[in-house]
Amino acid sequence: MMFRRLYWVTEVSEAGNVRVAGVYTSIPDLIEKGLENGAVTRISLVKLDSCDGPLGRWESPSFGNMREDLQAYVATGEFALDEIQSLAMAISGLAGIKA
């Protein structure tokens, strides 16, 4: 079993305040559990046990260039290409844009 070193953090905005809504260890969990209500304001990719800032941060409504930004992690084997494609489709659904 591979020990995950990268985590996904979802945040939502409520009454002008942003709060952490969830922390997920995989893209399937992020899609299934973290995006189900469609209220996500920001998604961050963070390294476990690190004082550094997020490795990536994407904000609604378009979530920027998330698909392109994550290609470096496909190259290193952290994520599979099909996972990135699934995430891009899920994000597109949230943002109401074409994947």
Side-chain angles (χ1 to χ4, degrees), residues 11-81:
E11 297 170 84
V12 296
S13 179
E14 296 174 336
N17 296 315
V18 177
R19 69 169 181 82
V20 171
V23 177
Y24 305 95
T25 60
S26 70
I27 290 175
D29 282 346
L30 171 63
I31 294 169
E32 182 181 323
K33 300 172 186 170
L35 304 179
E36 83 266 353
N37 67 9
V40 172
T41 302
R42 182 168 44 213
I43 300 172
S44 299
L45 181 62
V46 298
K47 185 175 180 181
L48 184 64
D49 297 331
S50 173
C51 295
D52 297 333
L55 299 171
R57 179 173 277 159
W58 302 273
E59 297 188 23
S60 67
S62 68
F63 294 95
N65 295 319
M66 181 182 266
R67 177 186 269 184
E68 293 81 11
D69 294 344
L70 294 174
Q71 292 305 311
Y73 298 97
V74 172
T76 62
E78 184 65 39
F79 303 123
L81 183 58

